[in-house]
Amino acid sequence: MRILVTGGAGFIGSNFVHRRLATTDDHITVVDKLTYAGNPANLRGLADDPGTRERYRFVQADIADEPLMKELATDSDAIVNFAAESHVDRSILEPTAFLHTGVMGVYSLLEAARAEADKRDGRFRLLQVSTDEVYGPVPEGLSVESDPIHPTSPYSAAKAAGEHLVAAYHETHGIDTVITRGANTYGPNQYPEKLIPLFVTNALDDETLPMYGDGMQRRDWLHVTDHADGIATVLDHGEPGAAYNICGDGIERPNRAVTKAILDHLGKPWSLVRSVPDRPGHDRRYALDGSRLRALGWAPQTSFEQGIALTVDWYAANRDWWEPIKSGEWQDFYQKQYAWRLEQSTTA
Ligand code: NAD
Ligand code: DAU
């Protein structure tokens, strides 16, 4: 297959690209704007490695550049769209880019898919990587794919808007689309603004871990390799027009438990943790029913205990990856997001 992987220089997209090139004969073109979150280091080696260099190319571009997306789609059989602004806190501070990429970007990819599908008797697939956050908070039970979506942050609203466009193009134009809704993902190469890499890197430097509110918000954590493999399964076997949840190991953990696991692995004290004013509109719980994807043969392979140990060890061993990130633009964001919160912090 020839795949256009958009947002492929980010955390999950780059993992998908590495795994797909290693396990198939696919040819992959990565398109990435290289926003603050896009990192060429995540794709290091692919352009030079004899096993991949003939099957990989990188194009720096915005997915909202519709003429270019149409041109690139002519050489592809499918688009897998990871591109998005992905951090909830940033969507609260400054949502414009979320709407640009989540609405106009997705629209542009759908137009590219439509142009190709028209030429090829419908044989062109678009996979939209979405999120469990579109369901909104789930006080009890598990979200199934037919549940109504109820996003609560500008981030999840932009992702939901993208999903609606994808569903509309499937219904109206008959485009072969599939959607994945993944759970909270963690692992190596994740930008250190998210809970796990932020707390790991802060703890490594003996800095404060800013826990929002009571820390009892619950998530079902999904290791990045399992998320990437779930997306690959849907790309290869998903039913046109369907959405698929990608759940974690099914054990919900409050943020406090995740934090304790990190500190215990590093041998660092709980006194590094401070409770800070909460994220506005903070969803207390997400929980997914993963049976639709399991029926296609996928199951998560990494337990949280294994995954968190691997992840903490990776950040400890790869300071050269994350230390340069935690300067420049990062410092501005950190000040805006945390300076006033840390001033008001209390014992956790
Ligand atoms: P990330 O922020 O690490 O990567 C996003 C990538 O998209 C970056 O490389 C960035 O440069 C690129 N990008 C952003 N806007 C672009 C644009 N207009 N044109 C081209 N490239 C652009 O994000 P991630 O954590 O790897 O998430 C990837 C996808 O998975 C996102 O769509 C996200 O909504 C979804 N998702 C993430 C998680 C999670 O826990 N991280 C869980 C479920 C779903
Ligand atoms: O559920 C899938 C989603 O998971 C993805 O769609 C998003 O792209 C991804 O960012 C992630 O969203 P969350 O908001 O759940 O992840 P985050 O790592 O930002 O936060 C996880 C939990 O930790 C959440 O309850 C908020 C809390 N938190 C987070 C940060 C950054 C803190 O307590 N302190 C923090 O400093």
Side-chain angles (χ1 to χ4, degrees):
M1 201 190 285
R2 297 164 304 163
I3 316 176
L4 197 58
V5 178
T6 50
F11 164 50
I12 308 171
S14 60
N15 194 284
F16 173 86
V17 170
H18 280 285
R19 291 176 82 73
R20 194 80 190 178
L21 286 172
T23 57
T24 68
D25 295 330
D26 287 351
H27 288 239
I28 291 185
T29 298
V30 169
V31 170
D32 200 294
K33 188 177 176 178
L34 297 182
T35 66
Y36 76 93
N39 189 344
N42 294 344
L43 298 163
R44 195 175 285 147
L46 295 176
D48 306 315
D49 187 310
T52 53
R53 67 183 174 216
E54 308 297 330
R55 298 186 291 126
Y56 165 79
R57 75 175 160 145
F58 179 82
V59 179
Q60 183 172 0
D62 187 330
I63 59 164
D65 181 343
E66 189 183 327
L68 180 59
M69 294 309 115
K70 283 184 165 157
E71 188 188 319
L72 292 170
T74 58
D75 288 337
S76 313
D77 305 308
I79 296 173
V80 179
N81 180 33
F82 291 91
E85 292 292 329
S86 65
H87 192 36
V88 173
D89 291 327
R90 288 187 192 249
S91 82
I92 295 165
L93 291 171
E94 181 39 77
T96 316
F98 288 76
L99 298 174
H100 169 78
T101 302
V103 178
M104 295 313 292
V106 173
Y107 155 77
S108 151
L109 296 178
L110 284 163
E111 281 296 318
R114 180 156 82 107
E116 286 314 299
D118 282 351
K119 285 189 241 162
R120 304 186 209 176
D121 219 8
R123 284 190 301 280
F124 192 95
R125 170 158 274 200
L126 182 142
L127 186 152
Q128 170 67 3
V129 178
S130 191
T131 169
D132 63 356
E133 298 207 7
V134 296
Y135 293 114
V138 187
E140 54 191 32
L142 302 174
S143 299
V144 292
E145 290 85 349
S146 55
D147 283 351
I149 58 179
H150 179 67
T152 57
S153 71
Y155 162 70
S156 53
K159 294 299 292 184
E163 282 206 25
H164 282 311
L165 280 171
V166 169
Y169 271 64
H170 174 72
E171 291 297 331
T172 304
H173 297 298
I175 308 299
D176 175 0
T177 62
V178 274
I179 291 172
T180 58
R181 295 180 183 146
N184 270 71
T185 306
Y186 70 101
N189 301 89
Q190 186 171 28
Y191 194 86
E193 64 195 353
K194 309 283 165 53
L195 175 78
I196 289 180
L198 177 69
F199 280 20
V200 173
T201 55
N202 278 12
L204 281 166
D205 285 346
D206 295 311
E207 282 181 18
T208 302
L209 315 191
M211 176 183 282
Y212 295 153
D214 63 3
M216 290 307 291
Q217 303 83 4
R218 287 185 291 163
R219 307 281 187 263
D220 172 16
W221 291 90
L222 171 65
H223 192 260
V224 64
T225 51
D226 286 327
H227 194 160
D229 292 350
I231 289 167
T233 302
V234 174
L235 177 66
D236 293 335
H237 306 295
E239 188 189 320
Y244 292 86
N245 292 337
I246 309 181
C247 61
D249 64 5
I251 303 171
E252 294 166 35
R253 290 174 173 81
N255 293 339
R256 280 180 173 273
V258 172
T259 305
K260 181 147 183 357
I262 292 169
L263 291 172
D264 287 352
H265 193 73
L266 286 171
K268 299 279 183 174
W270 182 260
S271 56
L272 286 176
V273 186
R274 299 285 294 172
S275 172
V276 300
D278 209 347
R279 170 188 282 176
H282 196 167
D283 291 343
R284 293 287 290 179
R285 174 177 182 263
Y286 307 121
L288 293 175
D289 178 327
S291 47
R292 182 180 281 182
L293 181 55
R294 280 177 188 272
L296 297 185
W298 172 92
Q301 302 296 312
T302 310
S303 70
F304 181 77
E305 288 69 27
Q306 286 170 316
I308 199 73
L310 286 169
T311 303
V312 173
D313 290 346
W314 187 86
Y315 282 93
N318 288 279
R319 277 181 175 270
D320 61 330
W321 185 89
W322 58 268
E323 277 181 345
I325 292 173
K326 281 190 153 185
S327 62
E329 187 275 346
W330 164 268
Q331 289 297 340
D332 296 343
F333 164 71
Y334 205 78
Q335 282 301 311
K336 260 191 228 149
Q337 180 63 19
Y338 293 106
W340 68 271
R341 284 189 161 86
L342 288 168
E343 275 170 21
Q344 297 178 27
S345 69
T346 55
T347 309

